[in-house]
Amino acid sequence: MWQPDRLSKQPLYQQIADHLERRISFGEFPPSSLLPSERKLAEKLGVNRSTIVLAYAELRSLGVIESHSGSGTRVSKHKWGLTPRHTPNWHRYVEGGHFLPNLPFLRRIREALEQNRSLIDFASGELGADISPVAEINQLMSQDYYTEYLGYDNPQGFLPLRKSLVTYLDTYRNIPTTESSILITSGSQQSLYLITQCLLAPGDAVAIEDPSYYYSLPMFQSAGIRLFRLPVDRQGINPEDVRTLYKKHRIKMVFINPNHQNPSGVVLSPERQVELLNVSSELGLPIVEDDPFSLTTYNGIPTPPLKSIDTFGSVLYIGSMSKIAASGLRVGWMVAPRSVIERLADARQQMDYGLSVVPQRVAAQFLNSPLFEPHLERLRMRIQSKRDLLVTSLRKELGDMVSFDIPEGGLHLWCRIKPEVNESRLLEECIRRGVIYVPGSVYGSDSDYVRFTFARAREEDIVPGIAKFADALNTVLNDKI
Amino acid sequence: MWQPDRLSKQPLYQQIADHLERRISFGEFPPSSLLPSERKLAEKLGVNRSTIVLAYAELRSLGVIESHSGSGTRVSKHKWGLTPRHTPNWHRYVEGGHFLPNLPFLRRIREALEQNRSLIDFASGELGADISPVAEINQLMSQDYYTEYLGYDNPQGFLPLRKSLVTYLDTYRNIPTTESSILITSGSQQSLYLITQCLLAPGDAVAIEDPSYYYSLPMFQSAGIRLFRLPVDRQGINPEDVRTLYKKHRIKMVFINPNHQNPSGVVLSPERQVELLNVSSELGLPIVEDDPFSLTTYNGIPTPPLKSIDTFGSVLYIGSMSKIAASGLRVGWMVAPRSVIERLADARQQMDYGLSVVPQRVAAQFLNSPLFEPHLERLRMRIQSKRDLLVTSLRKELGDMVSFDIPEGGLHLWCRIKPEVNESRLLEECIRRGVIYVPGSVYGSDSDYVRFTFARAREEDIVPGIAKFADALNTVLNDKI
């Protein structure tokens, strides 16, 4: 006789519901026939009665059975004479997969932005149209568009782009490398995804900064990876914490964003860089260095990346066009030992068969063009002036109610709200007033922080945006009184 | 005292090697100190001696320990006074991930094609440059290139492209749909990947055709999914087999390629389409319909897709530009219930943050342009004439040694080799002679089949290509005599 599988990850009540549904659809229980009572069936299958209650509720919701007080539970009458037909229970499939959905706050933010295009956007972590090199990119696309056959590309990415990246990485980041050690990805996001999918296994432990953008990525949990925190102070993470986590939790990898960290804006100090490399090489522990913001360093002199002093080959280096040119190009890269690059390139083929050559070529053209350097200079200037606007209006509007360090690069300001607030209440009040940002808990910190992205909004919107935020905050605080 | 974790998926010997390595690097065993004998340590840890032998061998290979016959196993002397520093054991990481690499044959084929661009390519499942609409696409790109801001795109994909797909699907595939039921993907590959990642869970069973392109995709196994076969005859799969597999293995989904199936070229007959939909709706079983080839049907009258008669909403429909325009655009689409689309779009954001707008816009332009229809007509004609060349030369060169059905659409010919051959031997002999194809076992069939893609090679190369193949085959057969 059939018995539910107690080892299956599918809940018992659902297994039972499926089983009964199948027997009914195969005609084993004819329409309006009486089903066993909840108590009887529970005994028969050796489960709690509550399990059967749930199973019957499920079948009732599918219209397969009907319960009438007194007359027990019966197969639905209206199925008389016809095979039960129904569409797949999509809800069950959508809930069933092991890949976790994005965090509620992030889905809410995306939804709000889609519903109201005029929201003042301090949430989207990207450049605004006003400072993105739209004109430059269009000029390049129109002057010299792609004219060759668009077949499947090399698994590691478009060779001319990898060639220009060799020069770019050497010139701007002091990273000597070769085309064969570079993988082109669909932005940093895909680099991170490939690493978690291919180099880590379920149950593995990794260390990330606290607060951290990574904390907001369910992909780690989806891959069954356990996250441990490396608190960030004004010099970045403390390398000794890495050793501690290694001894304690056998961490397999360290993910960091050392330059203008997202969200804190902190830069890992050169001393700590050296220390971190020593610890990691001593432990044979790989470091994933995510470096999207360094070229935005406002004074034009970014701290060199870990990768530039990585004599032990412990660092997987990740970069992208998203924060210095256009996120919509979806062009990023990874520099890693060849064996790693080949493994990830092979896996990537199975996921999406690689990137289109078209945007890769645009990126290569831009990196090689005389338009790139002037764009960078202008970009740094413009982002800095947006930061200044944000800082001034935060002080003016909120004074002592907020505290923050002024970032020297990057797109984000990590702002502490003095009085504790209800995060979702504050977010909703802001959305109602036409401004949006990202609540701090998304990055794993306490609920008294918010992340303001100042590079996205137009300059003229920053001051009014913060005024709206202040108004919302005051309203929420007055709740309490 | 430390003990290996028997529940961990990491082999015991490796856990022991890691543990010892750590203790040595922390100085608990000073350089040239004697380590316990294999027997002693085996007893202490309650493992077989052979496990310790392996662990010591691992450490020896890392240069951490030295063994001298007679004097036992010692910590390496040369580490005296310095902390052991080493790069991460990348090999271990690369092997450790749970995402499986591509099949050896497929990696070998890719490698061969990269090494020798002049190979006559019957392997790559795509259109050749000679029949791809290169000129048309370039004309569109040059006339009217993208001029707006390249920010992050809508998670479901570029709206204008989804709009043109609504028209396209209605016009060419009799599929009525809306923009909100469409997800733009990086080709069919990504659609399949998203489905396996988000709608299925490890341990789930799915049914695929035998032979099938899907069989060649380790992504199913990577996701812990069990594959069951639906044998394909001249009318396609037999729907009753689906019911049988459902009863026997509780299959959760059916993946099929009903039109000019890859590799067999078979078309699922209209009668069987109806039957299949009845079975699947009766069982509430979703069908993934992969439909990349139908517009290549040489007589211009493709069989309508399952989705066009899917009254129960059981079908997830997948299409792409790859086989009708250019694989290098990396533009595909999925039509599915909204809840499914939203779930997959959300997950996709976490994997790669969506596609670049640039190729999506090119695809939209092309679908809307008056150039599209004439291209399709030319394409069908050209592919058919390539097929004819292949068929004639196969008969001429190999006569009774091969048997096959002549495909009426698609890019592939599924060819049976009469005498059993050694697959890898034949492949290597062909590569040596300058021709390449895909061995049949890649698609889950016996080793006496090969898949010839005839759309990729230039017309003038097809006859010489088959001549080389015949020569290689004869050589391999003569081995036996």
Side-chain angles (χ1 to χ4, degrees):
Chain A
M1 189 201 82
W2 181 85
Q3 284 288 337
D5 171 7
R6 292 168 182 288
L7 300 178
S8 151
K9 69 191 279 288
Q10 188 185 32
L12 286 175
Y13 83 89
Q14 212 164 76
Q15 293 182 47
I16 294 165
D18 291 354
H19 172 71
L20 290 172
E21 186 187 336
R22 211 155 56 254
R23 293 181 60 186
I24 291 167
S25 69
F26 293 153
E28 297 174 36
F29 291 112
S32 58
S33 59
L34 192 63
L35 291 167
S37 74
E38 290 161 349
R39 196 183 38 73
K40 275 228 182 60
L41 188 55
E43 281 170 13
K44 199 153 153 255
L45 299 177
V47 299
N48 296 333
R49 177 149 180 262
S50 59
T51 310
I52 306 298
V53 173
L54 283 171
Y56 278 1
E58 175 91 14
L59 292 171
R60 226 175 281 114
S61 72
L62 293 173
V64 177
I65 64 172
E66 294 159 353
S67 305
H68 302 293
S69 47
S71 78
T73 305
R74 297 174 176 280
V75 176
S76 299
K77 211 188 262 70
H78 71 268
K79 295 188 176 302
W80 188 258
L82 44 86
T83 9
R85 297 178 175 287
H86 40 77
T87 63
N89 184 335
W90 288 118
H91 173 75
R92 199 176 288 170
Y93 280 90
V94 166
E95 296 304 311
H98 69 297
F99 198 88
L100 301 173
N102 262 308
L103 303 177
F105 271 139
L106 296 181
R107 280 179 289 164
R108 174 67 183 118
I109 288 166
R110 188 196 298 154
E111 172 195 77
L113 286 167
E114 276 163 25
Q115 283 164 357
N116 176 4
R117 301 247 161 245
S118 68
L119 277 181
I120 296 177
D121 185 357
F122 294 130
S124 306
E126 61 177 343
L127 305 177
D130 55 343
I131 57 178
S132 173
V134 181
E136 290 86 338
I137 288 175
N138 292 330
Q139 185 184 328
L140 293 168
M141 282 204 270
S142 59
Q143 274 171 358
D144 165 17
Y145 51 89
Y146 193 64
T147 55
E148 286 139 64
Y149 167 55
L150 281 170
Y152 288 118
D153 188 22
N154 177 297
Q156 281 182 230
F158 190 50
L159 186 61
L161 175 56
R162 285 183 283 142
K163 287 210 166 100
S164 13
L165 280 170
V166 170
T167 318
Y168 165 88
L169 289 163
D170 184 40
T171 317
Y172 290 96
R173 307 305 289 133
N174 314 318
I175 297 173
T177 184
T178 65
E179 299 94 65
S180 59
S181 306
I182 297 176
L183 173 67
I184 307 299
T185 62
S186 172
S188 306
Q189 191 81 13
Q190 192 175 37
S191 299
L192 294 168
Y193 183 68
L194 287 168
I195 291 168
T196 56
Q197 288 294 305
C198 303
L199 304 183
L200 296 169
D204 283 351
V206 307
I208 63 174
E209 295 143 324
D210 173 18
S212 170
Y213 164 71
Y214 304 134
Y215 189 86
S216 71
L217 304 178
M219 70 160 141
F220 288 102
Q221 287 87 338
S222 299
I225 290 159
R226 297 170 298 142
L227 298 175
F228 293 96
R229 52 194 291 272
L230 298 167
V232 169
D233 64 26
R234 289 197 160 111
Q235 276 68 48
I237 63 160
N238 182 337
E240 275 313 303
D241 293 342
V242 171
R243 192 196 303 278
T244 315
L245 288 182
Y246 182 82
K247 287 187 177 172
K248 211 161 149 196
H249 302 290
R250 293 289 324 282
I251 53 170
K252 278 275 178 64
M253 219 176 257
V254 178
F255 287 74
I256 54 166
N257 172 198
N259 244 323
H260 312 303
Q261 199 254 356
N262 178 2
S264 71
V266 165
V267 175
L268 182 67
S269 69
E271 303 67 31
R272 295 229 183 140
Q273 283 195 344
V274 174
E275 235 191 295
L276 177 60
L277 280 176
N278 288 337
V279 171
S280 85
S281 60
E282 183 189 315
L283 304 175
L285 193 61
I287 299 174
V288 176
E289 177 179 34
D290 193 358
D291 189 33
F293 305 117
S294 49
L295 291 201
T296 65
T297 305
Y298 310 136
N299 66 9
I301 309 155
T303 310
L306 281 162
K307 187 69 180 168
S308 65
I309 53 171
D310 170 34
T311 50
F312 308 111
S314 311
V315 176
L316 304 179
Y317 178 85
I318 294 175
S320 128
M321 295 292 276
S322 299
K323 315 300 183 189
I324 55 171
S327 46
L329 276 177
R330 308 304 312 123
V331 170
W333 47 85
M334 192 185 324
V335 182
R338 185 151 188 184
S339 61
V340 172
I341 291 292
E342 282 169 354
R343 171 76 171 93
L344 301 191
D346 178 85
R348 203 269 294 280
Q349 290 293 93
Q350 297 181 50
M351 298 176 180
D352 62 17
Y353 239 98
L355 284 186
S356 170
V357 166
V358 181
Q360 292 187 78
R361 186 155 179 289
V362 173
Q365 283 174 291
F366 189 41
L367 290 175
N368 296 338
S369 94
L371 300 168
F372 185 63
E373 182 61 43
H375 156 67
L376 278 185
E377 283 163 24
R378 217 169 26 252
L379 180 70
R380 286 192 288 261
M381 227 180 54
R382 298 289 304 278
I383 301 181
Q384 184 174 15
S385 73
K386 286 186 174 192
R387 177 205 65 179
D388 296 340
L389 277 166
L390 178 66
V391 168
T392 338
S393 50
L394 277 173
R395 292 207 170 121
K396 178 171 156 302
E397 297 284 344
L398 292 160
D400 301 346
M401 294 167 72
V402 294
S403 65
F404 50 81
D405 289 338
I406 298 176
E408 292 307 325
L411 322 182
H412 313 297
L413 183 140
W414 185 234
C415 181
R416 177 166 198 168
I417 313 273
K418 285 288 167 55
E420 269 286 348
V421 289
N422 175 323
E423 273 195 314
S424 34
R425 239 323 248 125
L426 180 56
L427 184 62
E428 291 306 326
E429 284 302 322
C430 283
I431 291 172
R432 288 206 314 116
R433 289 168 175 72
V435 64
I436 196 160
Y437 61 89
V438 184
S441 66
V442 164
Y443 305 104
S445 82
D446 305 335
S447 65
D448 54 349
Y449 279 89
V450 302
R451 188 193 81 172
F452 291 111
T453 300
F454 45 84
R456 180 67 164 78
R458 289 175 308 171
E459 283 178 349
E460 58 269 40
D461 290 340
I462 292 177
V463 176
I466 292 305
K468 291 170 190 292
F469 178 84
D471 181 44
L473 181 58
N474 287 314
T475 313
V476 175
L477 292 174
N478 291 334
D479 291 354
K480 303 199 170 155
I481 304 145
Chain B
M1 191 199 82
W2 181 84
Q3 283 289 335
D5 170 8
R6 290 167 185 288
L7 300 177
S8 152
K9 68 191 279 288
Q10 188 185 34
L12 286 176
Y13 84 88
Q14 210 162 76
Q15 294 183 45
I16 295 166
D18 290 354
H19 172 72
L20 290 172
E21 186 187 337
R22 212 155 54 253
R23 291 181 61 185
I24 291 167
S25 70
F26 293 152
E28 298 175 35
F29 291 112
S32 61
S33 60
L34 192 61
L35 289 168
S37 75
E38 290 160 349
R39 197 182 39 73
K40 274 227 181 60
L41 188 55
E43 281 169 13
K44 199 154 153 253
L45 298 176
V47 299
N48 296 332
R49 178 149 181 268
S50 59
T51 310
I52 305 298
V53 173
L54 283 171
Y56 278 1
E58 176 90 15
L59 293 172
R60 227 176 279 115
S61 73
L62 292 174
V64 178
I65 64 172
E66 294 161 351
S67 304
H68 302 293
S69 48
S71 79
T73 305
R74 299 175 174 278
V75 176
S76 299
K77 212 187 262 70
H78 72 268
K79 296 192 175 301
W80 187 256
L82 44 86
T83 9
R85 293 180 178 286
H86 40 78
T87 63
N89 183 337
W90 288 117
H91 174 75
R92 200 175 287 171
Y93 280 91
V94 166
E95 296 303 311
H98 70 297
F99 198 87
L100 302 171
N102 262 307
L103 302 176
F105 270 139
L106 296 181
R107 279 178 288 165
R108 173 67 181 119
I109 289 167
R110 185 195 299 156
E111 171 196 78
L113 286 166
E114 276 164 23
Q115 283 164 358
N116 176 3
R117 300 249 162 243
S118 68
L119 276 181
I120 297 176
D121 185 357
F122 294 130
S124 305
E126 61 176 345
L127 304 177
D130 55 344
I131 58 178
S132 172
V134 181
E136 290 86 337
I137 288 176
N138 292 332
Q139 189 184 326
L140 294 168
M141 283 204 272
S142 59
Q143 275 171 358
D144 164 18
Y145 50 89
Y146 193 65
T147 55
E148 288 136 62
Y149 167 54
L150 282 170
Y152 288 119
D153 188 22
N154 177 298
Q156 281 182 229
F158 190 50
L159 186 61
L161 175 56
R162 284 184 285 143
K163 286 210 166 103
S164 13
L165 280 169
V166 170
T167 317
Y168 165 88
L169 289 163
D170 185 39
T171 317
Y172 290 97
R173 304 308 287 133
N174 313 319
I175 297 173
T177 185
T178 63
E179 298 96 64
S180 59
S181 306
I182 297 176
L183 173 67
I184 307 299
T185 61
S186 174
S188 306
Q189 191 81 14
Q190 191 175 37
S191 299
L192 294 168
Y193 182 69
L194 287 167
I195 291 167
T196 56
Q197 288 295 305
C198 303
L199 305 183
L200 296 169
D204 284 351
V206 307
I208 62 173
E209 295 143 324
D210 172 19
S212 170
Y213 163 70
Y214 304 134
Y215 190 86
S216 70
L217 304 177
M219 70 161 146
F220 287 101
Q221 286 86 338
S222 300
I225 289 158
R226 297 169 299 143
L227 299 176
F228 293 97
R229 53 193 290 273
L230 299 166
V232 169
D233 64 25
R234 289 196 161 112
Q235 276 68 49
I237 64 160
N238 182 336
E240 275 312 305
D241 293 343
V242 171
R243 193 196 302 279
T244 315
L245 288 182
Y246 182 83
K247 287 186 177 174
K248 213 161 145 199
H249 303 290
R250 294 288 326 280
I251 53 170
K252 279 273 179 65
M253 220 177 255
V254 179
F255 287 74
I256 55 168
N257 173 198
N259 245 322
H260 313 302
Q261 199 253 358
N262 177 3
S264 71
V266 165
V267 175
L268 182 67
S269 70
E271 302 67 33
R272 296 234 183 132
Q273 282 195 343
V274 174
E275 235 190 297
L276 176 60
L277 280 176
N278 288 335
V279 171
S280 83
S281 59
E282 184 188 315
L283 304 176
L285 194 61
I287 299 174
V288 176
E289 178 180 32
D290 194 358
D291 189 33
F293 306 117
S294 48
L295 291 200
T296 65
T297 305
Y298 310 137
N299 67 10
I301 310 155
T303 311
L306 281 162
K307 187 68 181 170
S308 65
I309 53 171
D310 170 33
T311 51
F312 307 112
S314 311
V315 177
L316 303 180
Y317 179 85
I318 293 175
S320 125
M321 295 291 277
S322 299
K323 316 300 182 186
I324 55 171
S327 47
L329 276 177
R330 306 307 311 125
V331 170
W333 46 86
M334 192 185 324
V335 182
R338 186 156 188 180
S339 61
V340 173
I341 291 292
E342 282 169 354
R343 171 78 170 89
L344 302 191
D346 178 86
R348 203 267 296 280
Q349 289 294 93
Q350 298 180 49
M351 298 175 181
D352 63 18
Y353 239 98
L355 285 186
S356 170
V357 165
V358 181
Q360 291 188 80
R361 184 152 180 289
V362 174
Q365 282 174 293
F366 189 43
L367 290 175
N368 296 338
S369 96
L371 300 169
F372 185 62
E373 182 60 42
H375 157 68
L376 279 184
E377 282 162 25
R378 218 170 24 254
L379 181 70
R380 287 191 287 261
M381 229 181 51
R382 298 289 304 278
I383 301 181
Q384 185 174 15
S385 73
K386 285 185 175 192
R387 177 205 66 179
D388 295 341
L389 278 166
L390 178 66
V391 167
T392 336
S393 51
L394 277 172
R395 292 209 170 119
K396 178 172 158 301
E397 296 285 343
L398 292 160
D400 301 347
M401 294 167 71
V402 293
S403 65
F404 50 82
D405 291 337
I406 299 176
E408 293 307 325
L411 323 182
H412 313 296
L413 185 139
W414 185 234
C415 180
R416 179 170 194 165
I417 312 274
K418 285 289 167 54
E420 270 284 348
V421 290
N422 175 323
E423 275 196 314
S424 35
R425 204 46 193 99
L426 179 58
L427 183 62
E428 291 305 326
E429 285 301 323
C430 283
I431 292 170
R432 288 206 313 118
R433 288 168 175 73
V435 63
I436 195 158
Y437 61 90
V438 184
S441 65
V442 165
Y443 305 104
S445 83
D446 305 335
S447 66
D448 53 350
Y449 280 89
V450 303
R451 189 193 79 172
F452 291 112
T453 300
F454 46 83
R456 180 69 164 77
R458 289 176 310 169
E459 282 176 349
E460 57 268 41
D461 289 338
I462 292 177
V463 176
I466 294 304
K468 293 171 189 290
F469 177 84
D471 181 42
L473 180 58
N474 288 313
T475 313
V476 174
L477 292 173
N478 292 334
D479 291 355
K480 303 199 170 157
I481 303 148

